[in-house]
Amino acid sequence: MARPPRAVFVTLLASTLCLGLAGGASATVQSAGVSAPAVLTPATPEGAAPTTAGVQRALAAVLADPSLGKHRGVYVYDVDRGKVVFSTGAATTYTPASTLKLLTTVSALSALGPEHRFTTKVVSGGKGSIVLVGGGDPLLTAKPSDGYPTRATLSALAASTAKALKAQGVTSVTLGYDASLFTGPAGNAKWESNYLPEGIAARTSALWVDEGRIAKGMSKRSDSPSQAAAIAFSKLLVANGIKVAGAAKPKTAPAGAEALAKVASPTVGQIVEYVNLHSDNDGAEVLLRHVGLATKNGGSYAGGVTGLEETLTKLGLNVGKAQIYDGSGLTRTNKVPLDLLAGAVRVAASKDHPELRHLLTGLPIAGFTGSLEDRFGSASAGAGTGLVRAKTGTLTGVHSLAGMVRTRSGTLLAFAVASDSVPVAKTLDARAALDRAAAALANCGC
């Protein structure tokens, strides 16, 4: 099925953004470089409510698809009416893969707040000494880069630091670096042994640039992201007229030291959108550590997971059956029920939690953005193009999709569909089956 013209995306995007929020909403949509105001009136259910039998009929063909293997399940929740519409295979837990990021990011929004920012700073470390202090900015880059959101850069921090030092008459310093905000192992013991060496994931650090990559755009990561960041910062200081004596060394910043210069990350809301849109494993792991800190459980893996579970519980989600070991979903030992994955979307769409909206606005749009840009292209799934917003999850033998869709009758559904028993030879077939399931919900009169 041919994709709709990009101009049609204006209408599709406007329709998917109608989340049924009290009081309505307004937005500006863009197409072909032209901005046009679009008023989004409150989207309330029209016509008959979805029924269990109707949803079951809509999904029957997908549920019978052998490519999904033996362990497959679907969970569908009517957000507008506050009730479960349909579920099958949802009594057990699933390896969620990257759909786990929904739990991490909704927890970050709740625990930290969508407007919170992370600060990378330089403080005085004593006479002739400065310390580069990591604040856990997952998107910090060495130099300015294009794209959303606008990121903090080491180059800007170096320029501000050099200016401050020169104002004090200082032109030569020694440099230390402090990444002590996060604690515990930098890599997850439950990840596959090749993940770190092959650059599938970075060693999580409170101080890094370009997510620890040795070179921008490369998958290979530094064995010490914080040291690599300090070395890059040292070179930038020199370029700004400040001599750096010796090599940068680890150093704890003096308590209460005033910042000579600092840069702030994008907001947590913007970071959440980026992480979910691009399925950013490293960003998710950093957010997990921040959840641990925000909930006073510490900035380790264990603290982050404890903080995540506490936060989800406060949001009214049941984590009793879940087994969670990271923030990205990279480990196969994660086990999560489908109602918990859909529940993250449900609470984010609730009128009681406007602080969680960035979870929804960052979800990939079927056929257009992020990890769904190249999905929903078949004739049977194309009806979901532009209408389904969902987070993908993929590991070998594991495929999941969790998000939201509005039916033809106007009902907003939160859903999760998954299988963690897909034969390797059926990978593409299974992924297409999940797309068809979501498309069927979008076009369901039910």
Side-chain angles (χ1 to χ4, degrees):
M1 176 178 178
R3 298 223 186 272
R6 287 282 167 174
V8 176
F9 181 54
V10 175
T11 303
L12 296 176
L13 179 57
S15 68
T16 58
L17 285 175
C18 292
L19 302 178
L21 309 181
S26 63
T28 297
V29 292
Q30 295 183 336
S31 179
V34 178
S35 298
V39 177
L40 308 183
T41 56
T44 55
E46 300 172 1
T51 65
T52 298
V55 173
Q56 185 173 18
R57 282 193 300 271
L59 297 177
V62 177
L63 294 174
D65 193 322
S67 70
L68 290 175
K70 294 181 179 180
H71 190 222
R72 87 280 292 277
V74 179
Y75 179 90
V76 183
Y77 187 91
D78 184 335
V79 175
D80 292 314
R81 297 173 180 84
K83 64 178 183 178
V84 180
V85 178
F86 175 76
S87 70
T88 183
T92 60
T93 59
Y94 292 78
T95 299
S98 280
T99 51
L100 184 81
K101 292 182 177 70
L102 292 173
L103 306 184
T104 304
T105 53
V106 80
S107 296
L109 288 166
S110 180
L112 294 156
E115 299 304 316
H116 185 79
R117 297 177 187 265
F118 309 119
T119 301
T120 308
K121 62 184 179 180
V122 176
V123 303
S124 174
K127 187 176 180 180
S129 174
I130 61 173
V131 183
L132 173 64
V133 184
D137 179 354
L139 300 185
L140 183 69
T141 60
K143 297 180 180 180
S145 59
D146 296 330
Y148 173 86
T150 301
R151 307 185 185 197
T153 67
L154 272 190
S155 58
L157 183 60
S160 296
T161 301
K163 182 178 180 180
L165 290 171
K166 290 174 183 177
Q168 298 176 359
V170 177
T171 58
S172 179
V173 295
T174 59
L175 175 64
Y177 59 94
D178 185 345
S180 61
L181 182 65
F182 297 162
T183 56
N188 195 300
K190 294 186 179 293
W191 287 347
E192 299 292 329
S193 60
N194 65 321
Y195 281 5
L196 294 177
E198 293 186 6
I200 294 172
R203 290 166 174 80
T204 304
S205 175
L207 175 62
W208 67 21
V209 288
D210 302 316
E211 296 186 326
R213 289 178 172 81
I214 291 176
K216 189 175 181 180
M218 291 181 61
S219 60
K220 183 66 176 176
R221 314 302 180 92
S222 170
D223 290 335
S224 177
S226 57
Q227 182 184 49
I231 291 172
F233 185 68
S234 178
K235 293 177 180 178
L236 289 166
L237 281 178
V238 172
N240 280 275
I242 299 297
K243 181 181 178 180
V244 180
K249 297 179 180 180
K251 184 174 182 176
T252 302
E258 185 176 350
L260 294 170
K262 57 186 177 181
V263 291
S265 75
T267 66
V268 166
Q270 292 170 328
I271 293 171
V272 162
E273 289 179 336
Y274 181 89
V275 166
N276 283 331
L277 185 65
H278 300 285
S279 201
D280 182 357
N281 295 320
D282 303 313
E285 297 302 346
V286 169
L287 288 178
L288 180 71
R289 305 291 184 112
H290 281 299
V291 170
L293 290 168
T295 55
K296 302 187 185 308
N297 289 292
S300 64
Y301 267 114
V305 170
T306 299
L308 178 148
E309 292 176 342
E310 289 180 359
T311 304
L312 294 176
T313 300
K314 287 181 180 178
L315 289 172
L317 300 177
N318 185 356
V319 299
K321 293 182 180 179
Q323 299 176 49
I324 300 172
Y325 298 98
D326 68 7
S328 62
L330 281 175
T331 175
R332 294 174 178 274
T333 55
N334 290 322
K335 298 295 179 182
V336 177
L338 297 183
D339 67 301
L340 182 55
L341 295 175
V345 178
R346 170 176 62 80
V347 297
S350 165
K351 64 182 180 181
D352 297 326
H353 291 287
E355 76 279 6
L356 306 180
R357 292 288 186 262
H358 288 275
L359 182 84
L360 308 181
T361 54
L363 290 175
I365 300 173
F368 283 100
T369 62
S371 56
L372 286 183
E373 182 176 1
D374 297 322
R375 300 269 293 261
F376 289 78
S378 69
S380 54
T385 300
L387 300 176
V388 175
R389 300 189 71 132
K391 180 72 197 72
T392 55
T394 304
L395 292 169
T396 302
V398 176
H399 297 275
S400 56
L401 196 63
M404 65 181 187
V405 67
R406 192 172 290 283
T407 69
R408 283 190 299 165
S409 60
T411 296
L412 182 66
L413 300 177
F415 71 90
V417 54
S419 171
D420 53 11
S421 61
V422 175
V424 175
K426 296 294 184 179
T427 292
L428 295 180
D429 293 335
R431 191 173 71 173
L434 301 190
D435 294 351
R436 292 198 303 275
L441 292 176
N443 288 275
C444 183
C446 302

